[in-house]
Amino acid sequence: MADDHLNKITKGRCLCGQVQFEMQGELRGIVNCHCSKCRKFHGNYGAYTSVKVEKVKMTQEKGLKWFRSPTDETPNVHRGFCSECGSSLFWHPRDQPFIAVAAGSLVEPTTLKTIGHVWCSQKADFYEIKDDLPQFDERWIA
Ligand SMILES: [Zn+2]
Ligand SMILES: [Zn+2]
């Protein structure tokens, strides 16, 4: 069936299971964000897929908390995490149709590939980007 991928369900969860969710349909390839805010939030660069907000269904949100991130370059960004285990999970500019979902939360096999790097201008000094994928100083420019 040609439309099979539209019905595909990918699950995600935090480390302890107090946040669990499902996403319907095709997910974007993984983009690594090297900005200083993601590096604080994730402990290193952030790896994200992205999906339309309405395609995300929370199946357990007992632990879910949102931190409004005033220093993010994108306006009105809220970062979602589990208040029980501390897993970093979501990057969501409210008023925008897409939500970025931390790749580490996805239940494998994801069938996704990493497709590039953003905010390389804010990369930490203790690692190099050694693959041949596209790199952007700031946002992804299509
Ligand atoms: Zn948790
Ligand atoms: Zn970032």
Side-chain angles (χ1 to χ4, degrees), residues 22-119:
E22 297 179 355
M23 294 163 290
Q24 189 200 355
E26 208 65 34
L27 303 178
R28 190 200 64 196
I30 305 300
V31 172
N32 294 334
C33 181
H34 299 266
C35 84
S36 58
K37 278 70 66 181
C38 283
R39 291 193 290 105
K40 286 287 183 216
F41 188 64
H42 294 277
N44 204 345
Y45 59 83
Y48 300 99
T49 185
S50 177
V51 66
K52 281 200 160 167
V53 179
E54 66 262 26
K55 299 289 186 189
V56 181
K57 188 177 93 184
M58 301 304 304
T59 53
Q60 173 59 271
E61 53 188 337
K62 204 155 82 180
L64 183 60
K65 280 224 167 122
W66 293 94
F67 167 68
R68 188 174 182 283
S69 183
T71 55
D72 265 281
E73 275 81 359
T74 305
N76 209 16
V77 168
H78 290 64
R79 291 175 180 267
F81 63 99
C82 176
S83 60
E84 181 66 24
C85 69
S87 298
S88 40
L89 300 167
F90 303 113
W91 182 90
H92 184 211
R94 299 274 163 93
D95 322 322
Q96 285 194 29
F98 287 90
I99 182 168
V101 178
S105 70
L106 303 178
V107 175
E108 294 171 89
T110 68
T111 71
L112 298 172
K113 298 269 184 253
T114 300
I115 60 172
H117 304 271
V118 295
W119 289 98

